[in-house]
Amino acid sequence: VERLRLTRKLNMNIFLAQLIESTNDTWGVDLFEVDALSNHRPLTHVALHLFKQRNILKQFQIRELTFFKFISAIEAKYRNNPYHNNIHATDVLQASHHMLNFSVFKNVFTELEVFAALFAAAVHDVDHPGVTNQYLINTNSDLAILYNDESVLENHHVTLAFQTLSTEGCDVLSTLNRKQHQMFRKMVISVVLATDMSKHIQHIGHLKTMVEIRRLSSSASSIIDPENAEDKLQILQSLVHCSDLSNPLKPLNLYLQWTDRIMEEFFRQGDLEKSLNLEVSPLCDRENSNICKSQMGFIDYVVHPLWEIWSRLTQPDCQPIMDILESNRVWIASQVLTEDDKHDG
Ligand SMILES: COc1ccc(/C(C)=N\OCC(=O)N2C[C@H](C)O[C@@H](C)C2)cc1OC1CCCC1
Ligand SMILES: [Zn+2]
């Protein structure tokens, strides 16, 4: 029996190593499997692997043990929410890594910009309480008071991330010089704050402008001017925001798990609102929800408008991902019909 147990353990570790290896260049890795096989430490395993694969630790002379301690401390500060947890952080990190490899970004970003974008993705929802900004504002929470109702969650995530750097043995930025540290901090703050859904429309506007300029100056082969730091920062903000809203563009079985999770998180908020005699927020009433219809709305009015312009900027590498969105939408639409019948009884 002992031999059987060890053999099974060995096979699990081999399977885990293969899954982690696939995060290098695969869209739609099953991070729920990575979570199960890694003793619920997907973020530490995947972040260490990707930062090493990109040679970031060597470039900035960051000791592997320091990075391990930092990312482990961050992972431990993610709460066990149904959706906003360490698996979601790993998902956004891996999607951001994947899209930084798009050919349109070749020779565009500096190592520091790549480091900042992936760092921001890994920490972007740390200590998320599983409720929305609006809920925190409506309940006069300490966080809303602290951040004056402005991007309350996002301010909290980035503050906590930088505070974690001063935990014993966790300062992954200690080898950066003053200028690098200043630029890194500016980029991480702006990328994490840009994940606030209230900035969603602005992302679309900036991307439309950039695509327009690309279309007009069709001469310029690579549309992104590596000298324009502002444009590059906006692209990194949109890259992480797109990764944050990438669930409907993942293989259907993964998309459906994320949908179940976000709905459970929203429903728990609705339960809290009911118990506090507050008005139940949209989509948060578990007694009265149409999951497929709300996902259709999410895809048609939030996700597709963003990804449509993002895919135009990043053509042709985004096409396979857009194809997944299209097929998922067709599947969801087919379920709406049957879901209606179910409700009609
Ligand atoms: C897989 O599905 C989702 C994945 C992630 C999210 C998150 C974290 N934010 O998304 C934007 C958001 O919170 N919004 C604010 C308000 C809830 O109105 C919405 C239209 C936009 C939401 C997902 O689906 C939602 C939206 C439709 C049903 C539940
Ligand atoms: Zn997020």
Side-chain angles (χ1 to χ4, degrees):
V1 169
E2 179 59 13
R3 198 155 45 79
L4 187 68
R5 196 182 64 76
L6 285 176
T7 309
R8 191 178 304 125
K9 182 116 187 65
L10 184 64
N11 289 340
M12 273 169 66
N13 286 341
I14 292 169
F15 184 34
L16 174 61
Q18 287 167 340
L19 274 173
I20 289 176
E21 193 59 30
S22 72
T23 61
N24 291 349
D25 52 12
T26 308
W27 177 264
V29 176
D30 187 341
L31 297 173
F32 301 109
E33 269 298 335
V34 176
D35 174 53
L37 291 168
S38 65
N39 195 21
H40 309 296
R41 292 280 172 271
L43 184 61
T44 301
H45 280 80
V46 171
L48 250 182
H49 176 77
L50 292 180
F51 275 69
K52 280 169 71 176
Q53 201 254 350
R54 284 184 169 273
N55 215 22
I56 293 171
L57 304 184
K58 282 220 172 40
Q59 269 154 6
F60 295 102
Q61 298 111 24
I62 301 168
R63 289 178 58 213
E64 198 169 310
L65 179 65
T66 308
F67 186 81
F68 173 81
K69 283 181 177 175
F70 172 75
I71 199 69
S72 297
I74 290 291
E75 182 151 40
K77 289 175 181 179
Y78 273 93
R79 299 197 201 175
N80 284 335
N81 299 311
Y83 184 93
H84 286 104
N85 54 45
N86 57 333
I87 313 172
H88 167 67
T90 312
D91 187 35
V92 173
L93 168 66
Q94 200 267 331
S96 300
H97 158 78
H98 186 87
M99 296 199 284
L100 276 169
N101 286 339
F102 281 173
S103 51
V104 73
F105 298 140
K106 195 162 174 46
N107 304 322
V108 167
F109 299 112
T110 66
E111 288 106 343
L112 191 70
E113 287 165 339
V114 170
F115 181 15
L118 296 180
F119 180 101
V123 308
H124 87 281
D125 273 333
V126 68
D127 193 39
H128 196 296
V131 289
T132 60
N133 279 331
Q134 200 51 55
Y135 178 87
L136 292 170
I137 293 165
N138 294 346
T139 56
N140 306 310
S141 65
D142 291 346
L143 275 181
I145 302 295
L146 183 63
Y147 293 113
N148 304 309
D149 297 355
E150 173 61 39
S151 296
V152 176
L153 283 167
E154 294 73 20
N155 272 297
H156 177 58
H157 303 317
V158 71
T159 294
L160 190 58
F162 280 98
Q163 285 172 337
T164 304
L165 289 167
S166 44
T167 310
E168 180 55 40
C170 291
D171 188 0
V172 294
L173 306 186
S174 62
T175 52
L176 298 190
N177 64 42
R178 188 177 304 282
K179 180 76 187 139
Q180 287 176 317
H181 190 280
Q182 182 192 34
M183 284 165 58
F184 181 91
R185 180 165 158 76
K186 176 178 183 285
M187 290 191 281
V188 169
I189 291 169
S190 80
V191 168
V192 176
L193 291 186
T195 61
D196 180 352
M197 273 309 289
S198 70
K199 312 289 188 234
H200 178 71
I201 302 300
Q202 290 165 36
H203 283 278
I204 294 176
H206 290 148
L207 289 170
K208 278 197 168 126
T209 308
M210 218 168 276
V211 167
E212 261 320 288
I213 292 169
R214 170 182 189 183
R215 207 177 52 78
L216 295 178
S217 64
S218 57
S219 59
S221 59
S222 164
I223 47 138
I224 299 138
D225 171 10
E227 301 313 311
N228 188 325
E230 279 319 301
D231 275 5
K232 288 199 287 179
L233 186 53
Q234 265 171 22
I235 287 171
L236 292 177
Q237 288 167 3
S238 296
L239 183 134
V240 174
H241 179 53
C242 285
S243 299
D244 205 18
L245 294 182
S246 65
N247 295 159
L249 296 97
K250 292 285 174 62
L252 186 62
N253 66 309
L254 302 179
Y255 171 32
L256 294 178
Q257 288 182 70
W258 289 121
T259 299
D260 288 345
R261 288 168 172 270
I262 192 67
M263 292 319 296
E264 180 52 31
E265 195 167 303
F266 279 4
F267 290 158
R268 290 180 187 181
Q269 175 174 316
D271 297 346
L272 276 175
E273 289 164 334
K274 284 175 192 165
S275 68
L276 295 170
N277 272 328
L278 289 169
E279 191 185 336
V280 177
S281 302
L283 308 162
C284 295
D285 185 353
R286 65 171 78 245
E287 304 306 323
N288 170 23
S289 74
N290 187 322
I291 294 179
C292 286
K293 273 216 175 87
S294 54
Q295 282 303 313
M296 290 273 285
F298 185 47
I299 290 172
D300 291 348
Y301 299 110
V302 180
V303 176
H304 186 264
L306 173 71
W307 275 89
E308 196 279 327
I309 189 70
W310 176 251
S311 70
R312 274 200 268 152
L313 183 79
T314 58
Q315 276 312 357
D317 297 322
C318 226
Q319 199 47 52
I321 299 171
M322 293 301 283
D323 294 345
I324 300 174
L325 176 63
E326 186 50 41
S327 67
N328 285 343
R329 194 194 178 290
V330 167
W331 188 87
I332 292 276
S334 73
Q335 298 307 305
V336 165
L337 305 178
T338 49
E339 191 173 40
D340 282 348
D341 300 347
K342 200 165 55 187
H343 278 270
D344 300 348

